Amino acid sequence: MNKRLIFLGPPGAGKGTQSSILSQRNDLLHLSTGDLLRAEVSAGTDLGKKAGLIMDKGELVSDSIVLSIVQKKLSGKSQGWLLDGFPRNLTQAQSLEPLLEEINQPIQAVVLIETNDDVLIQRLLERGRTDDNEEVIRNRLQIYRAQTAPLINYYDSKGLLKSVKGNDEINIVANLIQEALN
Ligand code: AP5
């Protein structure tokens, strides 16, 4: 199975849920930039104070902050890894490449979870995280389309993209992902 992976998809597609399942099943490092940033917010660090204000609006935290977090977590890791919520725009994707080259661990596959807007809005409203109200969800979706969705073609042109339908229940989607990666 491919063991160096990126998960792409709109908010609520199930990136976090599916990344947890896949990383546990296959002993991969699960690196969620959203979770790492929320940990900084909870710890009340300077970084967390800055990031929290941006996250509550549904906007993207600065590339330099996110890149430094990812770099720290990836360096020295020899097992497989799964990036969830990163990269989020072309700058992050292009900055990731030299970082991975340096540790000689190129990306093996990019999983895109495709889920209908009405399904994902409903899921997020039910979850109710601080950034899960209707106005912020719509902003996150807009930012996804403008800044993150261009990565679909970017990785497709590199022959790395695997698309999976994400509307079904969690276990069905998990099996589709595992099959796509085998
Ligand atoms: P992040 O934490 O990455 O949030 P997101 O991309 O908006 O993703 P979500 O967590 O909302 O959705 P998900 O696809 O992971 O779905 P999940 O599995 O959780 O980022 C949050 C913020 O941090 C950003 O807005 C930004 O400010 C900042 N940030 C993060 N990374 C950044 C970066 N690289 N650069 C700059 N800023 C960054 O599922 C959602 C819900 O649906 C759950 O309740 C789950 O139980 C449920 N669910 C999942 N799958 C199913 C299913 N198949 N059926 C039924 N329910 C399901």
Side-chain angles (χ1 to χ4, degrees):
M1 196 198 90
N2 295 311
K3 289 201 159 195
R4 295 192 296 272
L5 308 169
I6 289 176
F7 269 45
L8 265 187
K15 302 180 295 296
T17 305
Q18 297 299 337
S19 297
S20 296
I21 295 174
L22 198 74
S23 58
Q24 277 168 29
R25 279 189 189 166
N26 299 284
D27 193 24
L28 308 177
L29 169 76
H30 175 191
L31 207 162
S32 157
T33 44
D35 286 349
L36 291 168
L37 289 166
R38 278 185 288 277
E40 296 281 343
V41 174
S42 302
T45 63
D46 286 346
L47 190 158
K49 281 178 195 149
K50 271 190 233 157
L53 295 172
I54 298 166
M55 293 165 80
D56 281 345
K57 288 191 269 178
E59 284 162 18
L60 295 186
V61 174
S62 83
D63 294 334
S64 59
I65 289 183
V66 176
L67 274 162
S68 72
I69 292 179
V70 172
Q71 184 161 25
K72 220 183 291 165
K73 293 280 171 187
L74 273 184
S75 57
K77 299 290 180 226
S78 56
Q79 81 203 84
W81 40 256
L82 196 162
L83 305 184
D84 157 17
F86 177 91
R88 206 79 160 206
N89 58 29
L90 218 47
T91 305
Q92 293 183 8
Q94 286 166 343
S95 308
L96 178 64
E97 277 159 24
L99 208 152
L100 295 179
E101 230 165 77
E102 204 175 298
I103 55 174
N104 201 19
Q105 295 190 21
I107 302 160
Q108 292 178 315
V110 176
V111 177
L112 169 66
I113 308 181
E114 295 181 293
T115 310
N116 295 353
D117 280 8
D118 53 341
V119 173
L120 45 92
I121 290 170
Q122 194 52 40
R123 283 182 191 170
L124 295 178
L125 288 175
E126 277 168 24
R127 180 176 63 181
R129 213 166 64 190
T130 57
D131 56 347
D132 285 340
N133 62 71
E134 187 134 7
E135 192 190 339
V136 176
I137 294 170
R138 293 208 182 273
N139 196 25
R140 283 157 64 198
L141 270 172
Q142 203 191 338
I143 287 175
Y144 171 77
R145 290 201 184 97
Q147 300 197 40
T148 312
L151 296 181
I152 297 171
N153 281 342
Y154 180 76
Y155 286 121
D156 196 22
S157 70
K158 292 177 182 284
L160 290 170
L161 196 76
K162 315 258 183 201
S163 297
V164 171
K165 297 277 174 228
N167 289 331
D168 275 317
E169 63 183 62
I170 291 173
N171 286 338
I172 295 178
V173 180
N175 290 338
L176 291 175
I177 292 173
Q178 188 84 51
E179 277 166 28
L181 293 172
N182 282 339

